[in-house]
Amino acid sequence: MDEVLILKELPPSIKQRVEQGMLYKLPPISWSNISYYHQQILPLLRKYKVVHLNRSDARLVNNGLPLEIQKLRCRVNFSSLRFTNRIEELGRNIIHLLKQKGPFVVLHLRYEMDMLAFSGCTQGCNDDEVKELTRMRYEYPWWKEKVINSDLKRRDGLCPLTPEETALVLRALGLNHNVQIYIASGEIYGGFKFILLMEKYMVRKETLLDPLDMKLIQSHSSQMAAVDYLVSLESDMFAPTYDGNMAKVVEGHHRKTMLLNRKLLVSLIDEYKNGVVSWDEFFSSVRRAHASRMGRSKKRTIISDRPKEEDYFYANPQECLQPMKKAFE
């Protein structure tokens, strides 16, 4: 059913109005209900014929809307909006190369500089790197939390796993060495000091794509993430090392998402590294704890006075979490 007519180009009469500046621009108020769009936006649209909403992220509330509206959002997000042909072609090329060699797991490794600076998680970093991350956090005024106890946050399971911790977990989960592990991430902070830890597991877009194709997207983080997203949807298993919008969207549309229990894992890792438990005990505990931790759709929590603390609709679109069609059918 066609709920919305999407135009690639405005009709001539309206296009002329826009060219003459006869349109209205505004950023809609965040977390607004339908009444705001009926009472504030619709009159503007009737008056000016064209309204330019120059921001769109989180402008509509997550919850409390009619099911028809939520399903329309699903259709827009997951059917109407498409990646560019180039992005889809790059994703298709990587998936083809991976599937030629057998099954593959996508590891969403969130050990990037901006993530560490924002979260305040500095495990695996030296003193100079800790200072650099702290300086970066203070340079971004919209990152409200400045003083962060990294060790405490890690013990509570609120930090991304380090590459070293991730390598231990992968070994403990007993992934077959014949299974490829595709690393979905930006540049790993600390660079080459971690490469050897992950080398026997790693397959990366940098090594799979033609250098010219890679050059076209490597300076565009959103395009890099889009390619990783498409590959993730086609993986035999998806394993995020930290929460986030991409991880939640993939989890919602992917039956085989491994949800790592970070709080338990960092405790077990510390015990193993300190000699409190043996490798066999560590191995058994990790396997047992994750035997039933596969991704599944779940109902969003409603926090009416603090909507920012809810799962965003696009990160957990529970109204349309039926298994997604294959990305390239």
Side-chain angles (χ1 to χ4, degrees):
M1 182 171 63
D2 296 327
E3 295 99 339
V4 176
L5 178 62
I6 299 175
L7 301 177
K8 290 186 177 181
E9 189 173 356
L10 292 172
S13 59
I14 297 180
K15 184 178 181 180
Q16 186 177 16
R17 291 172 60 92
V18 172
E19 290 172 346
Q20 295 172 353
M22 299 172 62
L23 77 164
Y24 196 92
K25 297 182 180 181
L26 81 160
I29 297 173
S30 298
W31 318 110
S32 296
N33 212 319
I34 290 179
S35 59
Y36 168 76
Y37 288 90
H38 281 168
Q39 297 170 13
Q40 302 293 325
I41 303 299
L42 185 58
L44 293 172
L45 185 58
R46 286 172 172 161
K47 179 178 180 180
Y48 293 97
K49 308 303 179 186
V50 177
V51 175
H52 179 197
L53 306 180
N54 52 20
R55 292 183 184 176
S56 59
D57 177 40
R59 301 295 141 169
L60 187 61
V61 293
N62 298 313
N63 300 296
L65 297 175
L67 183 59
E68 292 75 15
I69 295 295
Q70 299 290 55
K71 287 185 175 181
L72 177 58
R73 294 173 82 178
C74 290
R75 186 165 303 215
V76 170
N77 280 314
F78 302 108
S79 297
S80 300
L81 295 178
R82 307 288 299 180
F83 293 111
T84 63
N85 291 336
R86 184 178 70 184
I87 294 298
E88 293 208 352
E89 182 180 359
L90 293 178
R92 186 161 39 238
N93 289 345
I94 292 175
I95 291 164
H96 176 71
L97 291 171
L98 290 169
K99 287 189 172 182
Q100 275 188 324
K101 295 183 179 180
F104 68 96
V105 171
V106 168
L107 178 66
H108 192 213
L109 189 61
R110 297 306 314 276
Y111 202 79
E112 299 131 334
M113 184 178 183
D114 59 345
M115 172 54 66
L116 299 180
F118 170 75
S119 65
C121 297
T122 56
Q123 287 71 33
C125 299
N126 59 38
D127 290 343
D128 289 339
E129 289 169 340
V130 171
K131 290 177 182 177
E132 183 179 39
L133 294 171
T134 302
R135 183 167 57 250
M136 182 179 182
R137 186 162 67 251
Y138 276 89
E139 288 174 351
Y140 287 80
W142 50 90
W143 291 355
K144 303 301 182 184
E145 192 177 12
K146 302 299 182 183
V147 180
I148 300 173
N149 186 322
S150 179
D151 291 334
L152 180 60
K153 198 166 185 179
R154 174 180 177 268
R155 286 199 300 270
D156 288 338
L158 300 177
C159 285
L161 296 179
T162 70
E164 180 184 12
E165 292 167 344
T166 303
L168 279 173
V169 172
L170 291 176
R171 284 180 57 202
L173 288 172
L175 288 178
N176 191 306
H177 289 299
N178 294 325
V179 175
Q180 307 161 91
I181 297 182
Y182 176 88
I183 304 296
S185 75
E187 184 176 352
I188 298 174
Y189 190 60
F192 293 106
K193 67 182 180 181
F194 288 123
I195 293 299
L196 291 178
L197 290 168
M198 307 295 295
E199 190 172 27
K200 64 181 178 181
Y201 299 110
M202 282 201 311
V203 181
R204 298 177 295 158
K205 51 186 169 292
E206 290 83 352
T207 59
L208 293 172
L209 288 176
D210 181 275
L212 183 59
D213 288 332
M214 190 64 210
K215 187 177 180 180
L216 293 173
I217 65 169
Q218 63 186 4
S219 59
H220 303 281
S221 58
S222 60
Q223 294 183 34
M224 299 266 279
V227 171
D228 286 340
Y229 172 74
L230 292 173
V231 176
S232 298
L233 288 179
E234 294 289 328
S235 66
D236 294 279
M237 181 175 289
F238 175 72
T241 62
Y242 193 60
D243 300 327
N245 292 331
M246 175 171 157
K248 289 179 180 176
V249 172
V250 175
E251 177 190 342
H253 293 98
H254 199 300
R255 289 185 173 184
K256 295 183 179 179
T257 296
M258 174 61 73
L259 302 180
L260 299 176
N261 185 338
R262 293 190 303 275
K263 185 174 182 178
L264 174 65
L265 285 172
V266 296
S267 176
L268 288 172
I269 288 169
D270 289 346
E271 289 181 348
Y272 169 66
K273 293 176 72 174
N274 292 328
V276 177
V277 299
S278 67
W279 170 257
D280 287 342
E281 291 170 318
F282 175 75
F283 172 89
S284 298
S285 296
V286 171
R287 294 291 295 274
R288 186 167 56 249
H290 291 82
S292 60
R293 287 184 62 85
M294 297 301 291
R296 60 191 182 279
S297 60
K298 54 186 179 294
K299 189 173 179 63
R300 287 188 305 275
T301 301
I302 297 176
I303 310 176
S304 56
D305 57 335
R306 300 190 307 278
K308 288 185 179 180
E309 297 180 22
E310 301 175 350
D311 281 349
Y312 284 3
F313 177 87
Y314 61 81
N316 179 18
Q318 63 189 42
E319 291 83 355
C320 55
L321 286 183
Q322 295 82 11
M324 199 174 184
K325 289 183 178 180
K326 293 294 185 181
F328 300 115
E329 280 185 351

